[in-house]
Each structure stands twice: as structure tokens, then as C-alpha cells.
Amino acid sequence: MTRPAIPAEALEHGDPRRYRRGCTCKKCKAGANAQNIRNRYLRQTGRGIHRAPDRAANHVLLLRAAGLDDKTIRKQARVCPDVLYRIMRREGTVHVASEKRILAVPIPREKTGPTESRAYIPGLGTQRRLRTLVAAGWYSAELARRLGKDRENINQLIKGRAGGRVAMFQADQIRDLYAELCDQKPEEHGLPSYYTDRARKMAADRGWAPPPYWDEDDFDNPDFTPALSDEGLGMHQLGALRRAEIEHLITFNLSHAEIAARLGMAEGYVRDIAREINTGQRRVRQPEGPVAKQRTAVAA
């Protein structure tokens, strides 16, 4: 929608904008002449009347992060959409007057509660939180119900739509939902095991890590990937990792056979670890290698 032009009568005499709108009185001519002299002086001293868009763009990012939407920012800075989005794309230059008005928009104090901003931010953390909930058994239809959204909308967020970006208010909603559900079992909420098990299997097939593998700060870190592989681990590290995996899956009331199949381990090994966890007593491990052979020979 095009903004209506400001009529000359709405501006004071002496304002260069009134002169540009057709008023040729002495005051308006003098005002326009003074502005031209000032602009020429700025150009001659290397300052000019145009700036790189970085300062203005960075301030807009701060305003967005504080919860202001673009419509509010444009209204307070008195800039049109084309100018604002050209600045955010960091294209060309910005007039010093426009930059000054943008920088003058105050950053609101931190507000409590979820943001309403529709500004787009990187969606990696949102995607990871949703995938982690799926790995814990919270299937997409249930997540959509709790968020009040369509299932397809959640599936698109899980896949990473819109070039990997997501609206800020959606990111906040999903962050709050993850904090609520990450340490709960879907079965405790009466969800069918058929769907929860299917969600876990799909996540395992795609390498999505469940909640125990994550720290909150790591979700939004593009340089962090949770280690689900056994490669490069020492014997004690590997044992601790496998124990943690088994202990986590036990909480979902899976059988020893199901856990063994999911983790690629022997069912007897899973049963022994589960017994340790339940009783608190360490299992007696049979010696391996030459020591085992020697003991077998002595026993014979």
C-alpha cells in the first residue's frame, strides 16, 4: 500500500520539503538553499549525506530481538517498507536522516512473557528442539495439538522450511514447549504407545538425539552436534555412554529385547545393565582374554 504524499500545506514555511512541493516563498527558498549548502559542505569534508546501512540494520535487529515487529519499527522511524528492507538486506546506502530516525527508535525494556514479534531469526534451535521431542516419543500431531497449530506446519518446521528461518514468536513457543516436555514421558499423558514408539524409531533412524544428549545452550549453536557415535571413545567412556542410553530407554518401559534391537546390543548385556540400574549393585564381569583361559584351565 502506497503512503499518501504529504501536502505542502502540512509543512512549515522554511522547510526544504515545502519548497520541493512547490512553495516558492522567500523562507522556503532560503531553507532549501541552506540545506544544499550544508549537504555540499558534508560531501566536501568526506562525510556526505549517505551512510553504509550497517548501523541502522544492526539497530533494527536489536529492536526485533526486543519484541518490536517491523510495522511498529517503520512507524516509529518514519520510513517506508522498501527503505527498511533494503537496509536489512544491507544494499546500497541509507540517507543520514533515515539512519538518524532509525537509531532514535528506543529499544524497549525486556518484557515478560512470550514475544509477539514476527521477525525471522535462524531456525536451527527450533528445528533441533522439535526433533529432540520426537526422539523422546512426542510425535508431530501431539506437538501440533499442544501448540495450537496444524500438523503440517510442525512437520515443515521439523524439516527446516523458509531457508532455515523461523518467526521469533514461534521459536519462543517451541522453546517453552520443549522446557515443559523434555523430562516427561508421553505415556504418562495417556498417549498411545504405537505412535510414541513409531516416533522414537523414526528419530533413531534419522540420527536425532533424545533430550539427554543436549544442553540448552547447544541447541542454537551451529558448531555443535551431539555425539551418537561410539567412534573415538575409550572403554570407560563407551561403557558410560551405553549405560546412559539403556537407562534412558528403560524409562519408556521398553523391553530388554526392544532396547537391544534399538541400540544394536546383545539382549543379555542390556539385561545385566538394567539389573545394575534397578538394584544398585555392580554386576560381576567375567574376565576375558588370557586370564579367562588360564582360569578355565585351572578349573578343569
Side-chain angles (χ1 to χ4, degrees):
M1 181 177 180
T2 305
R3 292 189 305 171
I6 301 175
E9 293 74 16
L11 303 170
E12 297 289 337
H13 285 287
D15 191 324
R17 293 176 297 172
R18 185 179 177 106
Y19 173 79
R20 291 196 294 269
R21 285 164 174 76
C23 182
T24 57
C25 72
K26 288 185 178 180
K27 285 187 176 180
C28 290
K29 286 182 178 179
N33 187 47
Q35 185 182 59
N36 290 335
I37 292 173
R38 180 176 182 275
N39 291 345
R40 184 165 58 250
Y41 169 74
L42 291 174
R43 287 194 298 270
Q44 289 173 349
T45 55
R47 287 176 285 177
I49 58 174
H50 291 90
R51 301 278 189 272
D54 298 308
R55 285 185 65 200
N58 291 337
H59 190 71
V60 172
L61 289 176
L62 293 175
L63 294 171
R64 286 176 171 179
L68 292 186
D69 57 33
D70 287 355
K71 183 177 180 181
T72 302
I73 296 172
R74 294 199 309 269
K75 183 178 180 180
Q76 293 190 21
R78 304 193 308 280
V79 296
C80 66
D82 288 344
V83 171
L84 179 65
Y85 296 128
R86 180 167 52 79
I87 289 173
M88 298 314 296
R89 293 193 298 270
R90 302 177 190 263
E91 295 177 355
T93 58
V94 57
H95 196 281
V96 290
S98 299
E99 180 191 56
K100 184 177 180 180
R101 292 197 301 273
I102 291 174
L103 295 177
V105 177
I107 300 174
R109 294 181 179 179
E110 184 177 355
K111 56 184 289 189
T112 58
T115 181
E116 297 178 359
S117 175
R118 295 180 177 271
Y120 277 85
I121 61 174
L124 177 63
T126 297
Q127 181 190 59
R128 283 175 163 178
R129 287 180 179 90
L130 288 172
R131 288 182 173 184
T132 303
L133 288 175
V134 173
W138 297 97
Y139 46 92
S140 59
E142 175 63 14
L143 296 175
R145 185 189 71 80
R146 287 175 174 268
L147 289 166
K149 302 182 183 299
D150 294 332
R151 178 181 177 182
E152 182 58 28
N153 177 258
I154 297 301
N155 286 334
Q156 290 298 320
L157 290 174
I158 291 174
K159 294 175 183 176
R161 66 174 187 183
R165 300 179 72 78
V166 63
M168 188 180 294
F169 78 93
Q170 287 183 314
D172 281 359
Q173 290 174 350
I174 291 166
R175 183 181 291 105
D176 291 343
L177 182 67
Y178 178 82
E180 176 188 351
L181 300 180
C182 64
D183 57 355
Q184 299 186 44
K185 303 180 192 177
E187 291 81 358
E188 293 175 348
H189 295 261
L191 300 184
S193 60
Y194 171 77
Y195 294 110
T196 59
D197 288 345
R198 188 171 68 174
R200 293 185 187 108
K201 184 177 186 307
M202 179 190 73
D205 292 342
R206 299 181 182 182
W208 298 348
Y213 287 90
W214 291 98
D215 289 327
E216 179 60 29
D217 294 340
D218 292 326
F219 282 109
D220 298 292
N221 181 2
D223 297 324
F224 176 81
T225 302
L228 295 179
S229 172
D230 294 343
E231 296 179 4
L233 296 179
M235 180 181 67
H236 296 294
Q237 291 176 309
L238 180 57
L241 176 60
R242 288 176 174 174
R243 181 186 178 88
E245 291 173 332
I246 294 170
E247 186 172 8
H248 172 67
L249 292 176
I250 286 175
T251 63
F252 297 109
N253 297 321
L254 298 179
S255 68
H256 296 155
E258 290 174 319
I259 295 174
R262 183 167 299 184
L263 300 178
M265 301 176 183
E267 183 178 349
Y269 178 82
V270 173
R271 186 181 300 108
D272 289 344
I273 296 296
R275 187 182 299 114
E276 283 186 15
I277 294 170
N278 293 330
T279 63
Q281 296 180 353
R282 306 294 292 182
R283 61 195 173 99
V284 178
R285 296 172 175 80
Q286 295 298 326
E288 300 177 359
V291 176
K293 293 179 181 180
Q294 182 178 2
R295 288 188 180 179
T296 302
V298 171

